[in-house]
Amino acid sequence: MSLAGGFLADLLRTYGQRHSAVRLDLVEGAPAAHLSAVRRLQIDIAFLTGTPTADDCDREHLWTERIFVVLPVAHELAGRRKLTWNDLRAYRFIVSECDPGPEIEDYLVKHLADLGHHPSVERHAVGRDNLMHLVAMSQGLTLTSEATTADRFPGIAYRPLSGHLLPFCAIWSRQNDNPALRRLLSLAKAMSRQRPDANGRTGKADGERRQVKAGGAAIPGRGEPSQMPDQSP
């Protein structure tokens, strides 16, 4: 996911404005690593795609985003307003070797295999930004989430994948008593209820310095040193 726009960016911006004494420590990484860190109280909250579960943890669905196909601006499909899986059957895809590349590859294989077609997917040892530049160089197509389309790269176009939505949720440990985390959860739930979903429907600070560690691909609780590991679309 990206902080260029969307629900998570709005949440962190609003929280920072309301609780300026809290330092937000953001950690990118793989979903499995985030869930493990949440259970060990090394991070306070993880924002993940899908509906994952973890022992002794609570989960809350917060927002939904459309899925977009990333393609070169000169590509023959770039002239269409929306794309379907049938449109994509004949094309090569590229993903990052690091997260969320494997997750995107699994998603591609599942949906194109349902059409009786095994997709061509190549892994590249690059981060998200350079993957976008490879798309612009016509090395292949890729997928991304709606919030990341606020990031602009020369030579690429974003087209929505018709009928496909990606849920995002927050996961945190029931044992975590960090007051800064509880304030964040309260704000996130309130903003989620007020926010229109992808279909346009509306769903559902004190003087002590505290710290919240968030991985997303989470928020170090209780004075742990900050780290910056890698991540999801």
Side-chain angles (χ1 to χ4, degrees), residues 216-231:
I219 291 180
R222 289 172 289 282
E224 296 177 359
S226 61
Q227 309 180 65
M228 198 64 70
D230 165 327
Q231 186 130 9

Side-chain angles (χ1 to χ4, degrees), residues 14-231:
T14 303
Y15 185 86
Q17 292 168 349
R18 297 186 182 183
H19 306 287
S20 58
V22 177
R23 182 170 70 88
L24 295 171
D25 187 4
L26 303 180
V27 181
E28 292 184 340
H34 279 338
L35 292 176
S36 177
V38 165
R39 287 196 296 266
R40 297 196 305 269
L41 302 182
Q42 292 178 334
I43 59 177
D44 292 295
I45 187 168
F47 298 98
L48 305 173
T49 57
T51 54
T53 58
D55 294 338
D56 300 321
C57 291
D58 288 325
R59 182 187 71 201
E60 180 85 13
H61 172 257
L62 292 175
W63 78 98
T64 301
E65 294 183 16
R66 293 179 294 170
I67 296 174
F68 279 72
V69 182
V70 188
L71 62 166
V73 290
H75 196 277
E76 59 187 342
L77 295 179
R80 303 191 185 184
R81 295 182 60 188
K82 294 183 179 181
L83 299 175
T84 68
W85 286 115
N86 271 320
D87 296 328
L88 303 175
R89 292 177 60 172
Y91 298 99
R92 181 175 69 249
F93 286 85
I94 57 174
V95 298
S96 299
E97 288 183 351
C98 57
D99 290 294
E103 184 180 0
I104 296 174
E105 181 176 2
D106 289 345
Y107 191 83
L108 286 164
V109 170
K110 175 185 182 301
H111 286 88
L112 289 173
D114 288 345
L115 300 177
H117 175 73
H118 187 79
S120 170
V121 183
E122 296 179 358
R123 294 190 180 191
H124 290 263
V126 298
R128 177 176 171 271
D129 286 6
N130 279 329
L131 188 73
M132 296 299 181
H133 293 308
L134 289 176
V135 171
M137 296 163 60
S138 299
Q139 297 302 299
L141 313 184
T142 196
L143 299 181
T144 195
S145 59
E146 186 170 4
T148 64
T149 62
D151 291 322
R152 295 298 171 183
F153 295 89
I156 69 167
Y158 300 102
R159 295 295 179 266
L161 188 56
S162 182
H164 287 267
L165 301 175
L166 186 63
F168 285 81
C169 71
I171 289 187
W172 65 96
S173 171
R174 299 182 192 124
Q175 313 305 318
N176 193 326
D177 59 357
N178 187 347
L181 166 64
R182 297 298 160 179
R183 295 188 186 108
L184 180 72
L185 287 171
S186 178
L187 176 62
K189 292 175 183 179
M191 290 179 62
S192 178
R193 289 191 295 267
Q194 298 166 3
R195 178 183 176 85
D197 63 18
N199 295 313
R201 295 187 296 264
T202 301
K204 45 180 188 165
D206 54 36
E208 180 182 359
R209 180 170 180 79
R210 298 186 181 274
Q211 182 181 47
V212 179
K213 188 172 204 171
I219 291 180
R222 289 172 289 282
E224 296 177 359
S226 61
Q227 309 180 65
M228 198 64 70
D230 165 327
Q231 186 130 9

